[in-house]
Amino acid sequence: MNKPLVGACFAVLFLGATAAPAAAVSVERPAKPKAVDFAGTVALSNCSGSVVRVPDSKPEDPALVMSNGHCLESGFPGPGEVVVDQPSSRTFTLLKANGSDAGTVKASKVAYGTMTDTDVSLYELTSTYTDIETKYGIKALELNAARPEQGRKITVASGYWKKLYKCSIDGFAYRLKEGNWTWKDSVRYTPDCQTIGGTSGSPVIDDETGKVVAVNNTGNEDGQECTDNNPCEVDENGKVTVRKGINYAQQTYGIVPCVAPGNKIDLTREGCELPK
């Protein structure tokens, strides 16, 4: 895992011609998305995270902060363990687009957390999306409801380090095994994203859409096989592959069907396949 850290140590296009044409033709051009920045990301005491919404979230809903399951203040959930609706008063430092601190938001509970099949935590905040936008001028990042695609350019935005890591999706690991934990269909980065401890929980943002497609969580540090901080890939036939220096994330599109009206996590909803 990209280990959680403890404490503070841790172009406008101009078209011209020499003569006016006889007839002007208007061409609709798709809007180019703005460059990915830090707006909506947060810093935890030991990890990174982001304020997120699903496509159906309402402005008046309590906002959600997403990070890793291994970043929970209660410690790593064991294999098969799921944390649901646990009270929490954890605070998060909200960042502006340029990476400076905007202010602090506070959790009311851990709505969901696990390290089984995926590595994710979702905190429900005491603030609504409207509260955050009104007070800080910052909008939540949206979780893409579609599975990410190989080859897409992405940005891993770490609120803890206030650093952007840019690379592409190299592919997917059928199973990613690290110590006692196994994760399904993990995102593998190209080597450019050299994420480190403290980047755990960072949103992985598709550069073209600006939507979150995964949550950063681990990397193989020493070339060891399937040990802590040295995940290995296991294919459908059980073949093990070790990629030293390569980092990974867990897809987030599967979270979307599990969010009910009011931003409540409902693991019984149709299409929800998060561990229960």
Side-chain angles (χ1 to χ4, degrees):
M1 279 154 277
N2 294 137
K3 299 180 291 295
L5 304 181
V6 179
C9 289
F10 281 5
V12 176
L13 179 64
F14 291 95
L15 300 176
T18 55
V25 178
S26 177
V27 178
E28 288 289 334
R29 298 182 184 276
K32 184 178 180 180
K34 70 181 183 68
V36 174
D37 53 35
F38 293 102
T41 64
V42 301
L44 286 66
S45 57
N46 58 347
C47 289
S48 300
S50 56
V51 179
V52 296
R53 63 185 299 274
V54 298
D56 291 336
S57 294
K58 305 299 183 187
E60 65 272 17
D61 289 341
L64 298 173
V65 160
M66 181 179 70
S67 188
N68 284 148
H70 78 258
C71 294
L72 288 168
E73 64 268 45
S74 55
F76 291 10
E81 183 181 355
V82 173
V83 178
V84 178
D85 290 338
Q86 294 297 308
S88 174
S89 57
R90 195 168 195 178
T91 58
F92 312 89
T93 302
L94 182 67
L95 301 189
K96 298 178 182 178
N98 63 5
S100 63
D101 294 354
T104 301
V105 292
K106 185 178 180 179
S108 62
K109 67 179 180 180
V110 177
Y112 184 83
T114 192
M115 288 178 65
T116 299
D117 295 351
T118 186
D119 184 6
V120 69
S121 59
L122 294 165
Y123 288 85
E124 183 177 301
L125 301 186
T126 58
S127 307
T128 67
Y129 295 115
T130 295
D131 292 336
I132 294 172
E133 189 168 356
T134 299
K135 187 172 183 179
Y136 302 113
I138 293 172
K139 294 183 177 181
L141 299 172
E142 184 176 325
L143 299 184
N144 198 328
R147 187 179 188 273
E149 301 172 9
Q150 186 175 4
R152 300 284 287 200
K153 294 183 181 300
I154 53 174
T155 299
V156 182
S158 171
Y160 187 94
W161 290 115
K162 301 181 180 181
K163 182 174 181 178
L164 302 177
Y165 298 81
K166 292 187 172 291
C167 58
S168 298
I169 295 177
D170 182 57
F172 303 92
Y174 174 72
R175 295 290 184 267
L176 192 66
K177 185 172 176 56
E178 179 175 341
N180 294 324
W181 294 275
T182 300
W183 303 305
K184 296 180 178 179
D185 202 17
S186 303
V187 172
R188 181 198 315 119
Y189 306 145
T190 53
D192 316 57
C193 281
Q194 289 295 305
T195 50
I196 59 174
T199 64
S200 289
S202 300
V204 179
I205 303 168
D206 185 299
D207 288 353
E208 183 174 332
T209 66
K211 296 181 180 181
V212 177
V213 296
V215 57
N216 179 70
N217 82 308
T218 195
N220 187 293
E221 297 181 2
D222 307 312
Q224 297 178 29
E225 183 177 306
C226 313
T227 63
D228 289 349
N229 306 312
N230 290 282
C232 62
E233 298 183 21
V234 184
D235 69 13
E236 295 92 332
N237 299 313
K239 179 184 176 182
V240 174
T241 301
V242 174
R243 302 178 192 268
K244 182 180 178 180
I246 295 300
N247 295 289
Y248 300 88
Q250 302 308 309
Q251 299 185 47
T252 51
Y253 75 98
I255 295 171
V256 176
C258 305
V259 181
N263 258 9
K264 303 302 180 184
I265 305 302
D266 183 354
L267 302 178
T268 67
R269 292 192 88 209
E270 183 178 357
C272 179
E273 297 183 357
L274 285 177
K276 300 172 177 57

